[in-house]
PDB file of all heavy atoms in Angstrom:
ATOM      1  N   SER A 208      73.583 125.483  87.221  1.00 92.00           N
ATOM      2  CA  SER A 208      73.647 124.702  85.971  1.00 92.00           C
ATOM      3  C   SER A 208      73.964 123.223  86.287  1.00 92.00           C
ATOM      4  O   SER A 208      73.702 122.409  85.406  1.00 92.00           O
ATOM      5  CB  SER A 208      74.723 125.290  85.071  1.00 92.00           C
ATOM      6  OG  SER A 208      76.043 125.126  85.711  1.00 92.00           O
ATOM      7  N   GLN A 209      74.569 122.887  87.381  1.00 92.00           N
ATOM      8  CA  GLN A 209      74.799 121.495  87.673  1.00 92.00           C
ATOM      9  C   GLN A 209      73.876 120.787  88.630  1.00 92.00           C
ATOM     10  O   GLN A 209      74.040 119.594  88.919  1.00 92.00           O
ATOM     11  CB  GLN A 209      76.263 121.301  88.177  1.00 92.00           C
ATOM     12  CG  GLN A 209      77.263 121.995  87.270  1.00 92.00           C
ATOM     13  CD  GLN A 209      78.719 121.629  87.692  1.00 92.00           C
ATOM     14  OE1 GLN A 209      79.359 120.643  87.517  1.00 92.00           O
ATOM     15  NE2 GLN A 209      79.317 122.651  88.318  1.00 92.00           N
ATOM     16  N   GLY A 210      72.899 121.612  89.095  1.00 94.00           N
ATOM     17  CA  GLY A 210      71.967 121.045  90.144  1.00 94.00           C
ATOM     18  C   GLY A 210      72.544 120.509  91.356  1.00 94.00           C
ATOM     19  O   GLY A 210      72.112 119.443  91.925  1.00 94.00           O
ATOM     20  N   GLU A 211      73.671 121.169  91.838  1.00 95.00           N
ATOM     21  CA  GLU A 211      74.370 120.739  93.012  1.00 95.00           C
ATOM     22  C   GLU A 211      74.332 121.787  94.108  1.00 95.00           C
ATOM     23  O   GLU A 211      74.124 122.958  93.801  1.00 95.00           O
ATOM     24  CB  GLU A 211      75.862 120.540  92.680  1.00 95.00           C
ATOM     25  CG  GLU A 211      76.132 119.385  91.655  1.00 95.00           C
ATOM     26  CD  GLU A 211      77.604 119.239  91.435  1.00 95.00           C
ATOM     27  OE1 GLU A 211      78.412 119.976  91.892  1.00 95.00           O
ATOM     28  OE2 GLU A 211      77.952 118.256  90.681  1.00 95.00           O
ATOM     29  N   LYS A 212      74.480 121.319  95.333  1.00 97.00           N
ATOM     30  CA  LYS A 212      74.628 122.365  96.428  1.00 97.00           C
ATOM     31  C   LYS A 212      76.116 122.761  96.405  1.00 97.00           C
ATOM     32  O   LYS A 212      76.995 122.003  96.837  1.00 97.00           O
ATOM     33  CB  LYS A 212      74.305 121.653  97.778  1.00 97.00           C
ATOM     34  CG  LYS A 212      72.880 121.967  98.259  1.00 97.00           C
ATOM     35  CD  LYS A 212      72.651 121.517  99.711  1.00 97.00           C
ATOM     36  CE  LYS A 212      72.169 122.651 100.474  1.00 97.00           C
ATOM     37  NZ  LYS A 212      71.556 122.235 101.834  1.00 97.00           N
ATOM     38  N   TYR A 213      76.389 124.028  95.938  1.00 97.00           N
ATOM     39  CA  TYR A 213      77.727 124.479  95.907  1.00 97.00           C
ATOM     40  C   TYR A 213      78.204 125.098  97.256  1.00 97.00           C
ATOM     41  O   TYR A 213      77.572 125.948  97.781  1.00 97.00           O
ATOM     42  CB  TYR A 213      77.749 125.703  94.900  1.00 97.00           C
ATOM     43  CG  TYR A 213      77.590 125.392  93.422  1.00 97.00           C
ATOM     44  CD1 TYR A 213      77.440 126.382  92.533  1.00 97.00           C
ATOM     45  CD2 TYR A 213      77.751 124.080  92.939  1.00 97.00           C
ATOM     46  CE1 TYR A 213      77.320 126.180  91.122  1.00 97.00           C
ATOM     47  CE2 TYR A 213      77.596 123.838  91.563  1.00 97.00           C
ATOM     48  CZ  TYR A 213      77.469 124.928  90.697  1.00 97.00           C
ATOM     49  OH  TYR A 213      77.330 124.711  89.323  1.00 97.00           O
ATOM     50  N   LEU A 214      79.297 124.546  97.715  1.00 98.00           N
ATOM     51  CA  LEU A 214      79.996 125.156  98.881  1.00 98.00           C
ATOM     52  C   LEU A 214      80.280 126.642  98.558  1.00 98.00           C
ATOM     53  O   LEU A 214      80.376 127.471  99.474  1.00 98.00           O
ATOM     54  CB  LEU A 214      81.207 124.409  99.267  1.00 98.00           C
ATOM     55  CG  LEU A 214      82.013 124.771 100.504  1.00 98.00           C
ATOM     56  CD1 LEU A 214      81.116 124.762 101.753  1.00 98.00           C
ATOM     57  CD2 LEU A 214      83.213 123.909 100.682  1.00 98.00           C
ATOM     58  N   THR A 215      80.664 126.875  97.285  1.00 98.00           N
ATOM     59  CA  THR A 215      81.177 128.216  96.951  1.00 98.00           C
ATOM     60  C   THR A 215      80.032 129.321  97.167  1.00 98.00           C
ATOM     61  O   THR A 215      80.462 130.520  97.391  1.00 98.00           O
ATOM     62  CB  THR A 215      81.466 128.220  95.404  1.00 98.00           C
ATOM     63  OG1 THR A 215      80.463 127.565  94.773  1.00 98.00           O
ATOM     64  CG2 THR A 215      82.688 127.474  95.253  1.00 98.00           C
ATOM     65  N   ASP A 216      78.785 128.845  97.269  1.00 97.00           N
ATOM     66  CA  ASP A 216      77.711 129.866  97.518  1.00 97.00           C
ATOM     67  C   ASP A 216      77.798 130.417  98.936  1.00 97.00           C
ATOM     68  O   ASP A 216      77.291 131.549  99.171  1.00 97.00           O
ATOM     69  CB  ASP A 216      76.319 129.281  97.326  1.00 97.00           C
ATOM     70  CG  ASP A 216      76.005 129.019  95.881  1.00 97.00           C
ATOM     71  OD1 ASP A 216      76.684 129.497  94.927  1.00 97.00           O
ATOM     72  OD2 ASP A 216      74.933 128.370  95.588  1.00 97.00           O
ATOM     73  N   VAL A 217      78.509 129.723  99.889  1.00 98.00           N
ATOM     74  CA  VAL A 217      78.626 130.169 101.197  1.00 98.00           C
ATOM     75  C   VAL A 217      79.313 131.568 101.222  1.00 98.00           C
ATOM     76  O   VAL A 217      78.988 132.364 102.174  1.00 98.00           O
ATOM     77  CB  VAL A 217      79.408 129.210 102.095  1.00 98.00           C
ATOM     78  CG1 VAL A 217      79.778 129.703 103.388  1.00 98.00           C
ATOM     79  CG2 VAL A 217      78.542 127.862 102.258  1.00 98.00           C
ATOM     80  N   LEU A 218      80.248 131.836 100.331  1.00 97.00           N
ATOM     81  CA  LEU A 218      81.008 133.054 100.477  1.00 97.00           C
ATOM     82  C   LEU A 218      80.033 134.281 100.252  1.00 97.00           C
ATOM     83  O   LEU A 218      80.064 135.230 101.099  1.00 97.00           O
ATOM     84  CB  LEU A 218      82.098 133.143  99.403  1.00 97.00           C
ATOM     85  CG  LEU A 218      83.465 132.452  99.852  1.00 97.00           C
ATOM     86  CD1 LEU A 218      83.299 130.963  99.762  1.00 97.00           C
ATOM     87  CD2 LEU A 218      84.625 132.996  99.053  1.00 97.00           C
ATOM     88  N   GLY A 219      79.210 134.219  99.187  1.00 95.00           N
ATOM     89  CA  GLY A 219      78.221 135.326  98.972  1.00 95.00           C
ATOM     90  C   GLY A 219      77.398 135.545 100.170  1.00 95.00           C
ATOM     91  O   GLY A 219      77.102 136.577 100.623  1.00 95.00           O
ATOM     92  N   LEU A 220      76.782 134.418 100.689  1.00 97.00           N
ATOM     93  CA  LEU A 220      75.821 134.416 101.758  1.00 97.00           C
ATOM     94  C   LEU A 220      76.472 134.909 102.997  1.00 97.00           C
ATOM     95  O   LEU A 220      75.936 135.708 103.769  1.00 97.00           O
ATOM     96  CB  LEU A 220      75.313 132.885 101.959  1.00 97.00           C
ATOM     97  CG  LEU A 220      74.370 132.388 100.957  1.00 97.00           C
ATOM     98  CD1 LEU A 220      74.221 130.835 101.072  1.00 97.00           C
ATOM     99  CD2 LEU A 220      73.016 133.045 100.972  1.00 97.00           C
ATOM    100  N   ALA A 221      77.691 134.490 103.277  1.00 97.00           N
ATOM    101  CA  ALA A 221      78.466 135.033 104.499  1.00 97.00           C
ATOM    102  C   ALA A 221      78.614 136.565 104.393  1.00 97.00           C
ATOM    103  O   ALA A 221      78.507 137.245 105.445  1.00 97.00           O
ATOM    104  CB  ALA A 221      79.790 134.378 104.639  1.00 97.00           C
ATOM    105  N   ARG A 222      78.896 137.021 103.233  1.00 96.00           N
ATOM    106  CA  ARG A 222      79.040 138.491 103.053  1.00 96.00           C
ATOM    107  C   ARG A 222      77.814 139.155 103.267  1.00 96.00           C
ATOM    108  O   ARG A 222      77.739 140.295 103.949  1.00 96.00           O
ATOM    109  CB  ARG A 222      79.620 138.705 101.645  1.00 96.00           C
ATOM    110  CG  ARG A 222      80.591 139.858 101.599  1.00 96.00           C
ATOM    111  CD  ARG A 222      81.175 139.977 100.148  1.00 96.00           C
ATOM    112  NE  ARG A 222      80.831 141.331  99.723  1.00 96.00           N
ATOM    113  CZ  ARG A 222      81.611 142.424  99.935  1.00 96.00           C
ATOM    114  NH1 ARG A 222      82.765 142.192 100.563  1.00 96.00           N
ATOM    115  NH2 ARG A 222      81.288 143.582  99.449  1.00 96.00           N
ATOM    116  N   GLN A 223      76.674 138.649 102.549  1.00 94.00           N
ATOM    117  CA  GLN A 223      75.411 139.242 102.881  1.00 94.00           C
ATOM    118  C   GLN A 223      74.994 139.362 104.272  1.00 94.00           C
ATOM    119  O   GLN A 223      74.370 140.268 104.754  1.00 94.00           O
ATOM    120  CB  GLN A 223      74.298 138.490 102.146  1.00 94.00           C
ATOM    121  CG  GLN A 223      74.254 138.751 100.618  1.00 94.00           C
ATOM    122  CD  GLN A 223      73.406 137.673  99.850  1.00 94.00           C
ATOM    123  OE1 GLN A 223      72.515 137.128 100.429  1.00 94.00           O
ATOM    124  NE2 GLN A 223      73.920 137.356  98.728  1.00 94.00           N
ATOM    125  N   ALA A 224      75.422 138.283 105.065  1.00 95.00           N
ATOM    126  CA  ALA A 224      75.124 138.310 106.515  1.00 95.00           C
ATOM    127  C   ALA A 224      76.073 139.208 107.317  1.00 95.00           C
ATOM    128  O   ALA A 224      76.011 139.281 108.542  1.00 95.00           O
ATOM    129  CB  ALA A 224      75.199 136.882 107.008  1.00 95.00           C
ATOM    130  N   GLY A 225      76.944 139.958 106.588  1.00 95.00           N
ATOM    131  CA  GLY A 225      77.753 140.985 107.307  1.00 95.00           C
ATOM    132  C   GLY A 225      79.093 140.500 107.630  1.00 95.00           C
ATOM    133  O   GLY A 225      79.902 141.221 108.277  1.00 95.00           O
ATOM    134  N   GLY A 226      79.469 139.212 107.272  1.00 96.00           N
ATOM    135  CA  GLY A 226      80.771 138.672 107.671  1.00 96.00           C
ATOM    136  C   GLY A 226      81.848 139.203 106.696  1.00 96.00           C
ATOM    137  O   GLY A 226      81.586 139.628 105.618  1.00 96.00           O
ATOM    138  N   ARG A 227      83.119 139.070 107.125  1.00 96.00           N
ATOM    139  CA  ARG A 227      84.303 139.381 106.300  1.00 96.00           C
ATOM    140  C   ARG A 227      84.722 138.249 105.557  1.00 96.00           C
ATOM    141  O   ARG A 227      84.926 137.194 106.049  1.00 96.00           O
ATOM    142  CB  ARG A 227      85.437 139.906 107.222  1.00 96.00           C
ATOM    143  CG  ARG A 227      85.999 141.188 107.047  1.00 96.00           C
ATOM    144  CD  ARG A 227      87.221 141.435 107.908  1.00 96.00           C
ATOM    145  NE  ARG A 227      88.424 140.901 107.306  1.00 96.00           N
ATOM    146  CZ  ARG A 227      89.205 141.587 106.427  1.00 96.00           C
ATOM    147  NH1 ARG A 227      88.852 142.803 106.083  1.00 96.00           N
ATOM    148  NH2 ARG A 227      90.288 141.103 105.915  1.00 96.00           N
TER     149      ARG A 227
END
Side-chain angles (χ1 to χ4, degrees):
S208 66
Q209 301 186 84
E211 294 181 358
K212 259 189 132 167
Y213 287 168
L214 181 59
T215 47
D216 287 353
V217 169
L218 276 77
L220 290 164
R222 216 179 123 86
Q223 280 164 36
R227 238 185 84 86

